[in-house]
Amino acid sequence: MSETIAFSQYVVERLKQAGVKQIFGVPGDFNLGELDYIENDPDIEWVGNANELNAAYAADGYARVKGGLAVIITTFGVGELSALCGIAGALAERVPVLHIVGAPSTKLQSNESLLHHTLNLPGSFTTFSTMSAPLSCSQALLNEIEPKTPSSWTDAFDKTLRDVLEQCRPGYVEIPTDAVHAKVSAAGLKEQLPTTHAAPPPESIAASVSPQESQASATSALASAATLAPPKAPSDEVTAHVVDEIAQRFKKATKPVILVDACAGRFGMASVVRKLVEECGIRFFETPMGKSLLDEHHPLFGGCYAGANSLPAVRKEVEAADFVLYVGALKSDFNSGSFSVNIDPKITIELHSFTTTIGYAAYPTTDIRHVLPELLPAFREVVQSRAGSPANGESAEQKIKTGRVEGTIPEPKGQEIKHEWLWPRVGKWFADTDIILTETGTSSFGLTNVLLPSHSTYIAQILWGAIGWSVGACLGAAMAAQEDDRNRRTVLFVGDGSLQLTLQEIGTMLRRGVHPYLFVINNDGYEIERQIHGVTAKYNDIQLYDHQLLLPFLAGKSCKTPYQSYAIKTPDELNKLLEDKEFNVPDRLRLIEVYMPRGDAPEGLVRQAKLTAEANSRL
């Protein structure tokens, strides 16, 4: 390795070290020099997207399937602003996406030159990075860093990259055109990068805590203190105290449960939770955002809990527990049945990446990646001590209960495809390692209580809920699946309304040669909105597309990726298709248009709409 290296080559090498093989984005004159380094590298590939918003969605889907870093590159101003909705979603749902922006040269910026993509106002060159600041856990603005040493810029880049990996949040790097080829020290490439699955050093946890998180996770007095001064890094003694306190509570419990939520997956803790469940025989549940993180066919799995929007048996069991280990909670409205979670705070332990709460006590800056692995031996010791006790000596098999949905398929009613039948039916069709994406709408609510295959990956943007997200995310997920030797299928369910926002990315799927199954729910408009408000309102209507013309149009005349479209109008037609052996081989891109009656919706969506209306009426 040479002593110095071009800065953009340093960036490429760092991204490869972080496991990135595909990069999303749109070319623009201020990032073209950077893209040359990507195009000339044999180990990393430029995907290219129809627009920057789709690119951000694709990066989000790629990161979720990979369980690690994704990268989007845009140009200054017009490009980066187009991507911000997708970046905001990654921030809200804790997805590690690095946003690299190609910017005008340091000289042009210092001269306040009136360039294209600027606002024709003083301070134009800092306006866009300032806009991105609240959506970033860290920023490296090379224009503001004097390259006093060969490592000044690489140190700044590495800090932002580390922050993204450790915090599972987006980061922002601005690279002026004159920095692209600038010679920098290559020494930093010898320093190992963190992974989202490895516990960060305590000082990193302390630095990552925001005042909002401190306020949300602690008592008001503690929160007030946290906003006035940066939190101190915890010691091993604090972590040991937290583990012991949780273990003592578990020892006293007779009806313990574990509730798995989104951040258990974001921080790579799903496998640790599974060990805890299996070795200690603890009943476990998931939230909608935690779906598929653990095996839904496991005998100890109890179902999906979302407060009042849960199946009655599931809700009854969770809310009757006397010990709840809530792993990686994200208590958004759709994830909690409009905040109807009814678990006694006194018996709840929440594990986060920035704090642990035990009852009403908070331990800021303790990290789920430190605490959870230590709970396994502590819980194991508790279980072993109970072995001779008649009261607490039940085996895991004896603790198994019913209440979850078993995936039975009801008989279709008539010749229309309705949600009551559709979702259990496709649930039986899924293959073991499928990657399943649903748009926030009828699809995500339809699959909530359907058991998914044991090794499947389920992706939905339940918190941010941007319509159109799933199409871009499907591209990213399919690209990530290409890097996997298991030949995983990628399956998308999207409504006809949501599809219209981002359907251009199907063209990118065809160009990049991926073969997802695209199920388009044709129910004549925005059904989720109609369920919430405006059943007959014209604002919930859309221009109906001829979906059978989409693939030929987007493929053009030079596309080499095979594709096929289907129009499905009855349960018999869908049954026949799903049972067809050739259809089940992912050897082409498939668009399956499923016609459904307007006004029909999954029970979970109907309940959520009612809960939302009730919550709004109380405000």
Side-chain angles (χ1 to χ4, degrees):
M1 186 181 298
S2 61
E3 185 176 337
T4 62
I5 188 173
F7 178 76
S8 289
Q9 189 61 49
Y10 184 95
V11 169
V12 169
E13 295 300 328
R14 257 330 201 187
L15 298 182
K16 292 193 295 183
Q17 289 177 352
V20 174
K21 295 182 179 180
Q22 318 274 347
I23 295 180
F24 304 92
V26 177
D29 57 345
F30 293 127
N31 66 26
L32 297 177
E34 182 75 30
L35 299 190
D36 283 340
Y37 285 86
I38 295 169
E39 185 155 323
N40 294 330
D41 193 286
D43 302 318
I44 201 163
E45 187 173 19
W46 172 253
V47 176
N49 296 91
N51 61 56
E52 293 87 357
L53 175 63
N54 293 356
Y57 290 159
D60 183 302
Y62 180 87
R64 293 183 194 229
V65 172
K66 288 267 291 187
L69 182 70
V71 179
I72 171 177
I73 297 181
T74 67
T75 197
F76 175 78
V78 292
E80 60 182 303
L81 295 188
S82 178
L84 283 192
C85 179
I87 297 298
L91 177 73
E93 302 213 357
R94 301 300 290 260
V95 181
V97 174
L98 183 66
H99 185 186
I100 297 176
V101 177
S105 70
T106 55
K107 184 176 181 179
L108 287 171
Q109 291 194 47
S110 63
N111 291 339
E112 289 282 337
S113 302
L114 184 58
L115 300 178
H116 59 289
H117 303 339
T118 59
L119 297 172
N120 191 20
L121 292 170
S124 287
F125 291 105
T126 59
T127 297
F128 309 126
S129 60
T130 301
M131 287 178 172
S132 285
L135 305 180
S136 310
C137 71
S138 182
Q139 289 191 322
L141 308 178
L142 269 58
N143 182 61
E144 298 179 3
I145 301 170
E146 187 71 28
K148 295 179 180 178
T149 69
S151 64
S152 296
W153 284 348
T154 59
D155 287 347
F157 175 80
D158 280 353
K159 180 187 182 304
T160 292
L161 180 57
R162 288 179 182 277
D163 289 343
V164 170
L165 292 170
E166 290 177 350
Q167 298 181 38
C168 286
R169 289 178 167 130
Y172 178 100
V173 177
E174 184 181 279
I175 303 178
T177 54
D178 53 333
V180 170
H181 306 295
K183 294 298 182 180
V184 296
S185 172
L189 297 177
K190 299 177 183 178
E191 298 180 15
Q192 188 172 356
L193 291 171
T195 71
T196 56
H197 299 176
E203 59 272 17
S204 294
I205 308 170
S208 74
V209 179
S210 71
Q212 291 83 2
E213 287 174 333
S214 298
Q215 290 170 330
S217 62
T219 63
S220 58
L222 184 59
S224 298
T227 62
L228 295 175
K232 295 181 179 179
S235 64
D236 291 340
E237 185 178 357
V238 174
T239 299
H241 171 76
V242 165
V243 170
D244 181 65
E245 178 67 20
I246 297 172
Q248 291 303 316
R249 286 174 172 250
F250 174 63
K251 187 174 183 178
K252 296 174 183 177
T254 59
K255 295 181 291 183
V257 302
I258 293 177
L259 185 57
V260 185
D261 210 339
C263 285
R266 300 291 191 270
F267 294 100
M269 291 291 102
S271 61
V272 181
V273 178
R274 176 159 186 162
K275 287 182 180 179
L276 200 63
V277 164
E278 292 180 338
E279 294 193 24
C280 301
I282 306 172
R283 184 80 158 156
F284 72 95
F285 299 80
E286 64 191 7
T287 67
M289 290 183 71
K291 193 167 176 62
S292 85
L293 289 178
L294 271 63
D295 182 3
E296 295 186 358
H297 291 269
H298 194 284
L300 285 168
F301 175 60
C304 188
Y305 177 74
N309 201 7
S310 311
L311 295 174
V314 171
R315 185 182 184 189
K316 180 179 179 181
E317 186 175 350
V318 172
E319 295 177 1
D322 59 359
F323 173 95
V324 177
L325 186 65
Y326 203 160
V327 185
L330 269 175
K331 299 178 186 177
S332 70
D333 49 358
F334 282 9
N335 202 39
S336 65
S338 286
F339 315 113
S340 59
V341 167
N342 187 26
I343 303 173
D344 188 346
K346 294 191 296 293
I347 56 96
T348 303
I349 293 92
E350 292 189 15
L351 304 181
H352 297 278
S353 62
F354 55 88
T355 193
T356 303
T357 62
I358 303 176
Y360 294 112
Y363 298 86
T365 72
T366 52
D367 188 282
I368 186 174
R369 291 163 289 187
H370 286 287
V371 174
L372 194 55
E374 297 298 323
L375 286 181
L376 181 57
F379 277 30
R380 190 187 297 128
E381 185 176 328
V382 171
V383 172
Q384 290 171 351
S385 70
R386 290 174 172 173
S389 167
N392 297 315
E394 291 181 310
S395 65
E397 290 74 16
Q398 291 171 319
K399 291 180 180 179
I400 293 169
K401 304 172 184 177
T402 58
R404 66 185 185 184
V405 168
E406 293 294 345
T408 56
I409 305 173
E411 286 295 319
K413 298 176 182 178
Q415 289 302 302
E416 290 183 310
I417 298 174
K418 295 190 175 182
H419 290 279
E420 181 184 14
W421 175 82
L422 173 65
W423 301 111
R425 179 62 188 91
V426 296
K428 289 293 186 181
W429 170 74
F430 292 139
D432 187 52
T433 60
D434 279 354
I435 300 166
I436 303 159
L437 297 97
T438 62
E439 186 67 49
T440 302
T442 56
S443 304
S444 60
F445 283 99
L447 281 178
T448 297
N449 291 310
V450 172
L451 294 181
L452 300 181
S454 297
H455 301 97
S456 63
T457 299
Y458 175 75
I459 302 174
Q461 199 188 53
I462 291 173
L463 173 53
W464 186 240
I467 63 170
W469 162 86
S470 66
V471 181
C474 179
L475 167 68
M479 298 300 293
Q482 278 190 333
E483 301 174 17
D484 195 315
D485 59 7
R486 290 179 288 172
N487 193 29
R488 305 181 73 186
R489 303 189 312 185
T490 303
V491 184
L492 167 68
F493 295 93
V494 59
D496 51 356
S498 297
L499 177 67
Q500 294 191 5
L501 277 77
T502 50
L503 60 79
Q504 311 98 313
E505 230 46 52
I506 298 175
T508 309
M509 297 175 195
L510 290 162
R511 183 167 62 88
R512 303 310 304 182
V514 292
H515 302 148
Y517 292 81
L518 311 176
F519 286 84
V520 178
I521 308 301
N522 186 339
N523 53 11
D524 192 19
Y526 297 124
E527 191 56 48
I528 184 172
E529 314 295 1
R530 289 177 179 139
Q531 292 294 322
I532 294 172
H533 185 78
V535 175
T536 61
K538 292 182 179 179
Y539 51 68
N540 285 328
D541 295 341
I542 61 172
Q543 171 63 38
L544 295 178
Y545 290 175
D546 187 338
H547 296 103
Q548 297 307 303
L549 298 178
L550 279 181
L551 297 188
F553 168 70
L554 293 169
K557 297 181 179 180
S558 60
C559 179
K560 297 180 180 180
T561 301
Y563 59 83
Q564 195 163 357
S565 293
Y566 312 80
I568 305 298
K569 297 184 178 180
T570 69
D572 288 343
E573 289 177 353
L574 186 57
N575 269 328
K576 183 178 179 180
L577 183 65
L578 297 181
E579 292 168 2
D580 184 271
K581 290 184 179 179
E582 291 186 2
F583 177 79
N584 281 276
V585 178
D587 60 354
R588 63 195 62 205
L589 187 150
R590 291 178 168 90
L591 186 150
I592 307 96
E593 183 178 11
V594 180
Y595 285 82
M596 304 186 71
R598 176 170 169 163
D600 184 50
E603 289 185 11
L605 175 53
V606 174
R607 285 194 300 267
Q608 180 62 52
K610 183 179 179 181
L611 290 167
T612 299
E614 291 173 350
N616 290 339
S617 68
R618 293 192 295 267
L619 297 178

